[in-house]
Amino acid sequence: SISFIMTTAQTTTLENFIQNTIKGTARFGFTHPRTAQIVETRIVPAQDGQLYTYTYLAPGYWTVGLTFEVLP
């Protein structure tokens, strides 16, 4: 599980990336937060099928939660 604090504009960019670039759960390169290496990952859908969650933080800011799987 991973979370990010994002602006409203950044959430729009994330939604576009998920819907149009990786088509939901396709592989993509992501910089691992501990090792700084680029790893192949995918977004794992929650049991309800959602790929991400938003939690309101402050005006114009959101906490975005996702679950990534690091692939071999």
Side-chain angles (χ1 to χ4, degrees):
S1 295
I2 192 164
S3 63
F4 301 96
I5 295 175
M6 294 185 175
T7 65
T8 300
Q10 289 171 321
T11 63
T12 300
T13 301
L14 175 67
E15 290 171 352
N16 182 56
F17 174 75
I18 291 171
Q19 293 172 5
N20 300 313
T21 303
I22 65 169
K23 309 290 188 215
T25 58
R27 290 176 173 247
F28 61 98
F30 182 77
T31 303
H32 192 283
R34 184 177 50 80
T35 66
Q37 299 295 312
I38 295 179
V39 293
E40 288 291 308
T41 60
R42 74 177 188 101
I43 299 172
V44 179
Q47 287 184 352
D48 63 4
Q50 290 195 9
L51 297 175
Y52 48 87
T53 60
Y54 291 134
T55 304
Y56 176 79
L57 188 59
Y61 291 90
W62 305 87
T63 300
V64 182
L66 304 107
T67 300
F68 285 178
E69 176 182 23
V70 176
L71 302 167

